């Protein structure tokens, strides 16, 4: 992605707003300009339906971009397509042109569109209906509709009986459409195209589940397809559906598409050359200032050394974790290094200044709490400037009701809102154009996500400004001081593993309930021998029954309920106002213990509520509206055990006395208490115990164990060992995203001076998803590089005793205690001294 370093004085005029006309210029660590790009058009394909083409022309599309035609031609010819171009490059036309042409053709054809969120499907429906209305009179207009869990029964019936194009999401496909496939027989019989939008979002366990759901879909389409069905005249299309996977620019898009759709790689055409126009984009790296005279306090007393509860981690699309990213606990201090201002507070200031200057701005945050906090602080800054300005800033996040989200999207489009603080819920392709600036508060996890978010600035060929605001985190600190790692490094590939037994087993049960599984079906779900092994286990456990003709589901309950597509831990918890019965929103089940426990403060559009009672059986949290001047932070305890009889064998290797391991583990965690902290100074007002159940996560971990004599030889005393191991654990979790397609919220960790399963001091890092997501395996494969980068990041930090930029974690369940930065460096040096030379090359 080429870019030219350019003096700030020659950059976007809004840089003056960011720097307060130079007063904050020292916070800029790097500014880079991406030059404008001219668009390249092509002729409309000769096979395209004239009515569809006329509709596009009526909407102002005189000629398509060249990449749109390349992708559309491949799809029309029956090739599966991986379309990976930048945000705002017009990917929709590339798949709607062949899809609607097929729908209006002589043979009955239907189309299924899948997006990771309901919001994106609703947004696509608006554009599609506008196109259909613009088509000239004549041939019947395509009948398009969304159908998801919010669709009323009567509307669903119309969709099943009449719709040519159905827009939905993987969750509805898995839980409703495929189990009820007989009602959808008309759609499945004529299924010509399956469009999978925002394909880069399908990673980890979520991506593995969706991959298998798509294979179930293709299997049912083949089940209903007439045996004499012929490919449309003039095409080389197969009788099965053509998959078009539209994605942000990623590495190896064809490989990801083939794995996601379960089709041969040779049958996939990758379209990656973006021919759409782009305006000049100025990209600033920003590091908040040090806060003089204060240091972050450490909790006293017992402190288990572990990372935050994995069940409080976000799903791949919508963060819900209770991230401690508001201004941290600050106490007067002496001569140690100063902490930096939080990215949340800094982003709120920048959003307020940009809004006051008239710029339309989107601020991406790392959590729901962060989105609410940024919006509220920005409004507080703006009200003294002009009474109406505060009302033009809002927050947008998962958990809002659909009507609230649609209203916010429309207000941003029309300009009624100038500033919006959001989670990555708006990273995906909802059509929000005309924005002047984008703020990214904290590393979003991958370069793919960063560029997807940045692409919101200056769309449709306009000039845009992007600022990445670093959090106090090892990775963020490294990136704003090493711009080449942001701008010049290769993009990540989308990582997911459909063969994960924890994912494959429930999907096979769902497939068997739809249509009994035959031996010839197994190859569609992966290696037949591996699939058969999983089936044998399911039969032994009574989940399936084996008959000479195949495998059968014989239970009354639906098999689809066995699979948790997004790894959220179960049904979401509804947040309900106790006095009125009004539904405020939802919280993922896995996050509820930490977010909406009894006494928790819940923030919704700037209003504060206090949780009166969390009912885990009914999945509801009753809240009461109350103005409070404090926030709440939960604390949990955790244990980890190696599962020698788990879904995969334990692997191991030795670096002399240091032992590395990779394999299944069980992580047990429990939220045990919470603190009330006064805002904004974060003074602890009190701690209260909680009586909540423990949760167990079966996943995959990488670990390394160190015998006592290595610790002592490294100068790490018994008193220093817990802090050294804990600090190394935190820093290694922060640095693994440099090597794997994940961020620290996809990971968890535990460190202990003596683990019962290894008999030695051990650091564990695990995937925060059931069964694992491939991230721990990446760390195991690149152990020496990983630990060397971890060691270097700690040493490079200028603090004296450890800070959030090196060894403190924003999600530590034990308040970042104990931590020993110097001892961690000595420990890592000792471990790396035993690494084979080939491993460090």
């Amino acid at each position: 992605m080429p870019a030219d370093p350019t003096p700030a004085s020659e950059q976007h005029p809004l840089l003056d707003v960011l720097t307060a006309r130079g007063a904050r210029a020292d916070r800029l660590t790097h500014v880079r300009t991406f030059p404008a790009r001219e668009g390249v058009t092509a002729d409309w394909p000769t096979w395209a339906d004239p009515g569809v083409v006329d509709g596009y022309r009526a909407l102002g599309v005189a000629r398509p971009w060249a990449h749109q035609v390349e992708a559309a031609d491949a799809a029309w010819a029956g090739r599966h397509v991986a379309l990976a171009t930048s945000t705002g490059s017009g990917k929709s036309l590339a798949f709607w042109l062949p899809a609607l042409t097929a729908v209006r053709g002589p043979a009955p054809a239907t189309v299924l569109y899948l997006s990771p969120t309901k919001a994106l499907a609703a947004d696509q429906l608006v554009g599609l209906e506008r196109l259909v209305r613009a088509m000239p009179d004549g041939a019947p207009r395509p009948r398009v509709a969304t159908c998801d869990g919010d669709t009323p029964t009567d509307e669903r019936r119309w969709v099943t009986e009449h719709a040519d194009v159905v827009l939905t999401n993987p969750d509805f496909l898995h839980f409703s459409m495929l189990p009820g496939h007989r009602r959808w027989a008309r759609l499945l019989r004529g299924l010509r195209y399956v469009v999978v939008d925002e394909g880069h979002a399908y990673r980890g366990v979520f991506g593995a589940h969706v991959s298998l759901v798509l294979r179930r879909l293709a299997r049912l389409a083949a089940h209903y397809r007439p045996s004499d069905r012929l490919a449309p005249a003039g095409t080389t299309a197969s009788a099965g559906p053509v998959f078009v996977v539209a994605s942000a620019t990623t590495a190896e898009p064809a490989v990801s598409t083939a794995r996601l759709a379960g089709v041969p790689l040779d049958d996939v055409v990758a379209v990656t050359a973006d021919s759409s126009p782009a305006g000049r984009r100025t990209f600033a790296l920003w590091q908040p200032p040090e806060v003089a005279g204060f240091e972050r306090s450490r909790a006293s007393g017992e402190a288990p050394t572990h990372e935050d509860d994995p069940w409080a981690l976000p799903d791949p699309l919508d963060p819900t974790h209770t991230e401690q990213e508001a201004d941290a606990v600050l106490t007067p201090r002496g001569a140690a290094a100063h902490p930096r201002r939080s990215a949340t507070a800094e982003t709120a200031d920048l959003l307020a200044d940009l809004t006051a200057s008239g710029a339309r701005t989107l601020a991406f945050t790392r959590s729901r709490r962060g989105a609410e906090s940024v919006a509220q602080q920005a409004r507080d800054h703006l009200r003294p400037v002009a009474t109406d300005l505060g009302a033009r800033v809002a927050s947008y996040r998962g958990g809002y009701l659909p009507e609230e989200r649609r209203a916010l999207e429309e207000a941003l489009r029309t300009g009624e809102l100038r500033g919006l603080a959001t989670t990555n819920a708006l990273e995906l392709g909802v059509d929000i154009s005309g924005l002047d600036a984008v703020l990214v508060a904290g590393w979003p996890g991958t370069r793919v996500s960063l560029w997807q978010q940045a692409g919101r600035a200056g769309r449709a060929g306009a000039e845009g400004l992007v600022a990445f605001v670093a959090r106090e985190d090892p990775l963020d600190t490294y990136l704003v001081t090493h711009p080449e790692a942001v701008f010049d490094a290769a993009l990540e590939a989308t990582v997911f593993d459909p063969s994960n037994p924890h994912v494959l087993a429930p999907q096979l049960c769902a497939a068997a309930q739809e249509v009994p599984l035959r031996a010839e079906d197994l190859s569609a779900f992966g290696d037949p021998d591996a699939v058969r092994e999983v089936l044998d286990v399911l039969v032994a456990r009574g989940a399936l029954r084996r008959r000479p003709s195949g495998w059968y589901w014989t239970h009354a309950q639906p098999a689809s309920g066995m699979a948790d597509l997004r790894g959220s831990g179960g049904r979401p918890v509804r947040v309900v106002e106790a006095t009125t019965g009004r539904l405020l929103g939802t919280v993922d089940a896995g996050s509820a213990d930490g977010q909406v426990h009894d006494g928790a403060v819940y923030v919704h559009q700037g209003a504060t509520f206090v949780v009166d009672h969390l009912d885990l059986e009914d999945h509801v949290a009753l809240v009461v509206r109350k103005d409070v001047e404090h926030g709440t932070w939960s604390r949990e305890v955790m244990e980890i055990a190696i599962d020698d009889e788990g879904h995969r064998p334990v692997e191991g290797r030795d670096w002399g006395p240091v032992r590395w391991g990779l394999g299944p583990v069980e992580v047990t965690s429990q939220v045990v208490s919470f603190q009330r902290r006064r805002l904004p100074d974060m003074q602890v007002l009190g701690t209260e115990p909680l009586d909540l159940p423990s949760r167990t996560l079966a996943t995959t971990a990488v670990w390394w164990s160190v015998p006592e004599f290595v610790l002592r030889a490294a100068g790490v005393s018994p008193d220093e060992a817990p802090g050294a191991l804990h600090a190394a654990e935190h820093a290694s979790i922060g640095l693994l995203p440099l090597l794997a397609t994940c961020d620290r919220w996809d990971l968890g960790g535990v460190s202990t001076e003596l683990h019962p399963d290894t008999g030695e001091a051990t650091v564990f890092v695990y995937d925060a998803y059931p069964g694992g997501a491939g991230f721990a395996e990446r760390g195991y494969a690149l152990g020496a590089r990983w630990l060397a980068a971890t060691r270097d990041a700690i040493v490079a930090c200028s603090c004296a005793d450890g800070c959030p930029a090196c060894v403190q974690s924003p999600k530590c369940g034990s308040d970042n205690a104990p931590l020993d930065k110097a001892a961690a460096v000595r420990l890592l040096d000792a471990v790396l001294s035993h690494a084979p030379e080939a491993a460090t090359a």
Side-chain angles (χ1 to χ4, degrees), residues 364-409:
F364 286 99
T365 67
R366 298 283 291 122
S367 70
R368 295 181 176 190
R369 184 194 294 245
E372 296 281 3
S373 180
V374 166
Q376 186 59 51
Q377 291 181 53
R379 286 191 292 261
D380 292 344
H381 293 328
L382 287 167
R383 287 192 183 102
V385 178
T387 55
D388 65 322
L389 275 180
R392 303 190 72 174
V393 174
S395 57
Y396 180 107
R397 59 172 175 79
Y400 284 174
L401 300 180
E403 53 269 28
E404 291 180 297
R405 295 174 73 162
R406 299 297 86 72
L408 288 167
E409 292 160 14

Side-chain angles (χ1 to χ4, degrees), residues 328-665:
V329 186
L330 299 176
T331 54
R333 65 141 351 255
H338 302 146
R340 293 189 180 273
R341 192 166 186 243
S342 75
T344 300
E346 190 79 353
T347 301
D349 281 1
L350 299 179
L351 179 60
D353 290 348
L354 289 166
T355 300
S357 73
R360 295 174 61 189
T361 306
L362 205 56
F364 286 99
T365 67
R366 298 283 291 122
S367 70
R368 295 181 176 190
R369 184 194 294 245
E372 296 281 3
S373 180
V374 166
Q376 186 59 51
Q377 291 181 53
R379 286 191 292 261
D380 292 344
H381 293 328
L382 287 167
R383 287 192 183 102
V385 178
T387 55
D388 65 322
L389 275 180
R392 303 190 72 174
V393 174
S395 57
Y396 180 107
R397 59 172 175 79
Y400 284 174
L401 300 180
E403 53 269 28
E404 291 180 297
R405 295 174 73 162
R406 299 297 86 72
L408 288 167
E409 292 160 14
E410 183 61 24
L412 189 61
R413 288 191 191 98
T414 61
E416 179 183 346
L417 281 178
R418 280 191 193 169
L420 197 63
T422 179
T423 62
N424 63 354
L426 274 182
E427 174 185 320
L428 304 177
V430 177
D431 185 15
I432 304 294
S433 58
L435 296 178
D436 301 298
V438 163
L439 304 172
V440 181
W443 183 247
T446 63
R447 296 176 187 87
V448 171
S449 289
L450 178 72
W451 290 110
Q452 187 77 347
Q453 293 178 4
R456 293 296 189 186
R459 296 182 75 175
E463 187 173 5
L465 173 69
V466 183
F468 164 50
V469 182
R471 293 174 52 189
E472 281 199 283
D473 177 273
L475 184 54
D476 285 33
T477 303
Y478 177 85
L479 291 170
V480 294
T481 54
H482 295 79
E484 69 281 358
V486 177
F487 300 116
D488 304 324
L491 294 172
E492 305 91 347
T494 305
V495 176
F496 55 92
D497 180 14
S499 67
N500 180 339
H502 285 262
V503 176
L504 183 57
Q507 291 293 339
L508 290 173
C509 289
Q513 183 179 25
E514 290 152 8
V515 176
L517 281 166
R518 314 297 183 194
E520 57 269 23
D521 295 332
L522 303 190
S523 60
F525 295 94
D527 177 71
D529 292 336
V531 173
R532 191 179 293 270
E533 288 181 10
V534 175
L535 288 171
D536 289 343
V537 173
L538 292 170
V539 170
R541 294 179 178 177
L544 294 179
R545 288 190 181 179
R546 179 74 166 97
R547 295 288 183 264
S549 56
W551 291 265
Y552 290 76
W553 175 262
T554 58
H555 305 278
Q557 68 271 29
S560 57
M562 296 174 63
D564 182 5
L565 261 61
R566 298 177 187 263
S568 57
R571 286 171 50 193
V573 171
R574 293 163 293 148
V575 182
V576 177
E577 190 170 15
T579 54
T580 65
R582 179 169 63 108
L583 177 64
L584 296 177
T586 59
V587 175
D588 287 348
S591 305
D593 290 2
Q595 282 198 5
V596 288
H597 54 75
D598 294 1
V601 175
Y602 179 82
V603 183
H604 182 84
Q605 286 287 12
T608 54
F609 299 80
V610 176
V611 178
D612 183 59
H613 179 59
L614 170 62
D615 189 328
L616 291 174
E617 289 188 6
D618 290 337
H619 304 277
V620 63
L622 297 176
V623 301
V624 177
R625 174 74 178 91
K626 189 180 295 186
D627 290 323
V628 295
E629 296 182 351
H630 68 269
T632 52
W633 279 259
S634 60
R635 177 179 178 273
E636 42 77 39
V637 294
M638 183 180 299
E639 295 179 350
I640 190 168
I642 299 172
D643 185 5
D644 292 323
E645 299 180 357
H647 64 275
R648 59 177 293 171
V650 174
E651 300 179 38
R653 64 167 177 259
D654 294 323
W655 289 359
V658 177
R659 177 70 174 170
W660 280 81
L662 172 72
V665 296

Side-chain angles (χ1 to χ4, degrees), residues 145-147 151-163 166 172 183-184 186:
T146 56
C147 194
T151 306
T153 302
D154 289 346
E155 289 185 28
R156 286 195 197 185
R157 187 176 300 112
W158 183 91
V159 174
T160 59
E161 294 174 357
H162 301 290
V166 177
F172 185 80
R183 294 191 300 273
W184 294 90
R186 183 191 62 85

